[in-house]
Amino acid sequence: IISQPMSIRPIKSNADMRAYQQERELAFKWRTAISHCKNKLEIKTSSDFKFTEDERMAFEKCLVQDYLLKHGLNYFGERDFLYIDLVGQEDLQGMNR
């Protein structure tokens, strides 16, 4: 069974609303962290396909040092695998203009 993200499922209860709010807060944390690391490393792209190995490692190091070590290893939620699309909060705001 594959569960749908809260943004697709209808909100039918207070528990659904809390889950939706948690999902939105987590997305905001991710987008803020991505924007921070992109700015810190002066990355202009929204895709990591053209990253060199060094750029990829620098981005991961930024996330680990500036977020996971400072805020705890579950800062982005309890996950074994993290997928990052490089669309930061600033990128999203630019798309909405």
Side-chain angles (χ1 to χ4, degrees), residues 64-77:
V64 169
Q65 289 181 339
D66 293 2
Y67 289 90
L68 298 179
L69 294 179
K70 286 184 179 180
H71 304 289
L73 296 179
N74 289 334
Y75 181 71
F76 298 116

Side-chain angles (χ1 to χ4, degrees), residues 34 38 42-51 55 59 85-88 91:
I34 289 167
K38 284 177 70 173
E42 299 179 354
I43 295 171
K44 304 296 182 212
T45 184
S46 293
S47 171
D48 67 340
F49 291 127
K50 295 183 180 179
F51 272 15
E55 290 170 324
F59 199 87
D85 63 13
L86 293 186
V87 177
D91 298 319

Side-chain angles (χ1 to χ4, degrees), residues 48-61:
D48 67 340
F49 291 127
K50 295 183 180 179
F51 272 15
T52 65
E53 187 175 321
D54 289 339
E55 290 170 324
R56 199 174 300 279
M57 289 303 295
F59 199 87
E60 184 175 331
K61 184 177 179 181

